[in-house]
Amino acid sequence: MNRAQQALYEMKQTDELAMMDSPVHRFSALSKLMVTVIYIVTVMSFSKYDFGGVFMMALYPYLVFQLSGLSFKLCMYRMRYVIPLVAFVGIFNPFIDRTVMFQARFLSVTGGMISFVTLMIKGILCLCAAFLLSGTAPVDEICGALRRLHVPSVFVTVFLLAYRYMSVLMEEVAVMSDAYHLRAPRQKGIAFETWGSFLGQLLLRSMDRAQELYAAMQLRGYDGEFRQTGNTKDRSVSFVWFVVWTAVFLILRFVPVASLIGNLFVRQL
Amino acid sequence: MIEVKNLTFAYEKEKPVLHDISFTVKDGERIGLIGANGAGKSTLMKVMLGLLDGEGSVIVEGIPVTQKTLAETRKKLGFVLQNSDNQMFMPKVYDDMAFGLLNYGMNKEETEKKIDEVLSSMHIEYLKDRYNHRISGGEKRMAAIATVLAMEPSALLMDEPTSALDPKNRRMIIQIINDLKQTCIITSHDLDMIMDTCSRVILIDEGRIIKDGPAVEILRDRKLLEAHGMELPLSLSRL
């Protein structure tokens, strides 16, 4: 399987995950989308040194992974290319911020180290939340939820079409890449001098296919609005899901739960 | 009834792809549109569907195909694309079948009922909840036909419905076409399939109608077929 095929497989696998049946899958996409957005905003709002607070926010992905049956391992695997980017953003923190925050035996823990770890956890948690959303709600339902939030139709349609056409593009890359490597078996990638014609062909081929796909949509009455086929989810339970998690996030954000738990242990000791 | 009158189309002004094409298709008729590669068969279908703007007119059940009537005429004319991957763009067969129905204002309950009805009539109920990328080429072709049939078109236009299919799936598609009650216009190089499914054939070459007549007559005419880049159907060439 070449890389494009792998990427295509992962996209289609995400579609399949979103169609699974679990308590979380049964909630409406709107409530899951809102919870995810509030979660990400809450996680990002913690200060860069609030390691404990951010750590407590792992409660949400932990419980949703348990309830939805989605695999945390798969989530980590999907993030394999993004995590290094998150790490890169904070990698210089330990060198810039050298204020010693506390001493752990022989190791002086600096503000930079804490902010780096906090940033990493923030990044991973947000990516987990995004993965959980895409793995528990099909993309067309997410788009439907965006429309219910009055996001302009043009943005939602562009997003949905981009998602659909991405697979078309990937398919063409996969086919062209196979055809290339069959005639260039000793090359690892695509030779630099061939990039121009490869990309040109890719563009033309994917445009052709995209046009045909669009024609297929037009012929079945597509008028710029995607209508949903998903079953109407239990709105009251979905609302409870939204309210409960929003309350939990607010508590975790404004009450120092990590410190309280820590103090409890310290007193017992 | 479908009437095509003096249809001319050109991608570039100086090089028309279709020249003054005229023919009439009666209700329930099966027509095979044959011709060598590049003869203009697929372009003719696209112009008939209003996907390309040509000169002349196409009238479907008394309604001329124009920009204003596209929604109406496209509901009457179903189109099965040559590449089913392009026709099946939703994750599941069910979603794809529902796409057109919901666009034409059917509610979810009616949609579900209609989908079950069509799948059952084609004996492919098992495909309903299957993922498009997990079904075989033959199943995908059948599902693609089902997506179009669900919209209850009065006529079906099929572009190479048996291309790239194994013999078993090819036979199944032929069976499905023969069971259809709708008017059918089928383009194909599979002349044996055309012979099995169509009573009338239109031979096109370089964008012009060369001959329009009974399938048996045209498909047995070796000279005519060879003069226009085609060969006798395999079943006849053995005789």
Side-chain angles (χ1 to χ4, degrees):
Chain A
M1 205 187 292
N2 63 36
R3 277 187 193 176
Q5 281 168 326
Q6 176 70 26
L8 190 63
Y9 173 75
E10 286 180 12
M11 271 183 78
K12 291 183 171 171
Q13 195 185 31
T14 306
D15 280 340
E16 285 188 25
L17 291 177
M19 301 270 187
M20 280 168 45
D21 188 27
S22 80
V24 184
H25 285 82
R26 276 175 236 138
F27 296 133
S28 76
L30 180 63
S31 75
K32 282 180 277 194
L33 176 69
M34 297 281 286
V35 168
T36 306
V37 171
I38 295 171
Y39 178 78
I40 291 173
V41 170
T42 313
V43 168
M44 297 315 288
S45 72
F46 279 95
S47 100
K48 62 181 179 178
Y49 299 122
D50 195 353
F51 171 78
V54 174
F55 187 75
M56 289 307 293
M57 291 299 285
L59 179 71
Y60 169 72
Y62 174 76
L63 281 177
V64 179
F65 271 117
Q66 297 299 322
L67 288 170
S68 64
L70 294 181
S71 155
F72 178 68
K73 209 171 143 188
L74 177 69
C75 173
M76 287 293 121
Y77 179 70
R78 289 286 178 83
M79 288 184 213
R80 64 195 183 280
Y81 297 122
V82 193
I83 289 177
L85 291 176
V86 178
F88 181 76
V89 173
I91 197 89
F92 298 108
N93 288 14
F95 304 106
I96 297 165
D97 181 358
R98 293 178 177 212
T99 320
V100 176
M101 303 297 273
F102 61 89
Q103 195 76 27
R105 297 218 173 178
F106 306 110
L107 179 71
S108 302
V109 178
T110 63
M113 288 176 186
I114 295 174
S115 65
F116 173 59
V117 174
T118 309
L119 183 74
M120 281 291 289
I121 295 177
K122 275 185 182 182
I124 290 171
L125 290 180
C126 291
L127 289 169
C128 278
F131 173 82
L132 287 168
L133 176 66
S134 64
T136 55
V139 72
D140 50 330
E141 283 187 26
I142 295 175
C143 288
L146 288 170
R147 286 292 293 133
R148 285 176 68 187
L149 290 171
H150 297 286
V151 174
S153 171
V154 63
F155 292 123
V156 176
T157 306
V158 166
F159 171 73
L160 198 54
L161 288 180
Y163 183 81
R164 295 267 173 257
Y165 285 146
M166 220 187 298
S167 64
V168 171
L169 186 73
M170 287 296 174
E171 276 172 30
E172 290 304 323
V173 172
V175 170
M176 284 178 67
S177 174
D178 275 348
Y180 180 89
H181 286 108
L182 283 169
R183 282 174 289 159
R186 286 183 194 160
Q187 280 183 32
K188 274 192 175 172
I190 289 158
F192 185 66
E193 58 270 24
T194 328
W195 277 26
S197 54
F198 189 89
L199 287 176
Q201 278 298 315
L202 175 65
L203 181 71
L204 291 174
R205 288 170 63 127
S206 43
M207 270 171 68
D208 260 358
R209 280 205 60 190
Q211 254 174 357
E212 187 126 315
L213 206 145
Y214 185 61
M217 289 164 68
Q218 278 184 307
L219 291 173
R220 278 184 278 160
Y222 177 68
D223 56 359
E225 189 78 43
F226 269 91
R227 284 143 187 110
Q228 282 184 48
T229 56
N231 299 324
T232 313
K233 312 280 165 126
D234 190 338
R235 285 187 183 172
S236 51
V237 180
S238 300
F239 183 69
V240 172
W241 173 262
F242 166 71
V243 171
V244 168
W245 276 115
T246 307
V248 171
F249 297 155
L250 287 173
I251 292 168
L252 291 175
R253 177 66 187 88
F254 295 109
V255 179
V257 182
S259 307
L260 291 174
I261 295 171
N263 290 340
L264 204 70
F265 278 109
V266 171
R267 265 183 224 153
Q268 280 179 351
L269 286 171
Chain B
M1 193 157 86
I2 303 168
E3 290 172 80
V4 177
K5 288 181 190 168
N6 312 108
L7 206 64
T8 298
F9 174 79
Y11 290 102
E12 296 169 54
K13 270 188 181 175
E14 302 79 31
K15 296 176 189 169
V17 181
L18 300 176
H19 301 263
D20 200 24
I21 301 265
S22 298
F23 61 91
T24 304
V25 187
K26 288 181 201 145
D27 287 340
E29 207 171 9
R30 300 279 166 79
I31 295 185
L33 211 54
I34 62 168
N37 285 334
K41 306 181 298 289
S42 301
T43 306
L44 173 59
M45 284 199 165
K46 286 182 180 169
V47 178
M48 286 174 72
L49 289 156
L51 289 170
L52 299 171
D53 285 327
E55 284 170 29
S57 64
V58 178
I59 301 165
V60 182
E61 291 183 3
I63 307 164
V65 178
T66 62
Q67 287 299 320
K68 282 183 185 170
T69 60
L70 280 182
E72 210 176 340
T73 52
R74 281 175 180 171
K75 196 173 185 317
K76 291 179 189 295
L77 281 184
F79 185 42
V80 180
L81 275 76
Q82 183 177 356
N83 184 352
S84 306
D85 282 328
N86 294 342
Q87 185 130 14
M88 311 290 288
F89 47 81
M90 301 291 276
K92 281 185 173 182
V93 171
Y94 173 84
D95 298 324
D96 248 307
M97 290 185 72
F99 181 82
L101 299 176
L102 293 172
N103 281 335
Y104 277 101
M106 206 178 252
N107 67 36
K108 284 174 188 169
E109 289 73 31
E110 287 170 337
T111 300
E112 175 107 32
K113 203 176 149 194
K114 187 75 216 165
I115 290 171
D116 287 339
E117 200 181 297
V118 172
L119 289 174
S120 138
S121 72
M122 292 175 70
H123 310 291
I124 50 169
E125 299 93 327
Y126 65 97
L127 289 180
K128 184 180 174 183
D129 289 316
R130 297 277 296 276
Y131 291 97
N132 284 330
H133 63 279
R134 293 216 183 255
I135 59 179
S136 71
E139 288 172 329
K140 204 174 274 184
R141 194 65 58 91
M142 286 190 273
I145 296 175
T147 61
V148 176
L149 285 181
M151 293 176 67
E152 298 182 321
S154 51
L156 255 101
L157 274 64
M158 295 184 178
D159 196 1
E160 303 273 2
T162 53
S163 67
L165 291 184
D166 62 35
K168 189 184 166 196
N169 281 309
R170 178 182 169 277
R171 212 165 42 244
M172 284 176 81
I173 295 288
I174 292 174
Q175 187 62 49
I176 287 170
I177 296 173
N178 281 331
D179 289 344
L180 292 173
K181 292 177 188 98
Q182 286 90 342
T183 307
C184 283
I185 302 178
I186 305 166
T187 71
S188 186
H189 295 293
D190 180 354
L191 299 187
D192 288 283
M193 183 270 289
I194 295 286
M195 212 156 83
D196 284 345
T197 54
C198 302
S199 53
R200 180 178 156 200
V201 161
I202 297 176
L203 172 64
I204 295 182
D205 195 8
E206 294 182 352
R208 293 174 206 276
I209 293 185
I210 303 298
K211 183 122 189 187
D212 179 352
V216 187
E217 193 183 294
I218 293 177
L219 295 176
R220 281 171 193 263
D221 192 337
R222 183 191 292 262
K223 274 187 186 171
L224 176 74
L225 293 174
E226 287 181 356
H228 299 284
M230 309 206 68
E231 289 179 352
L232 277 183
L234 275 176
S235 54
L236 292 181
S237 60
R238 281 194 219 105
L239 299 172

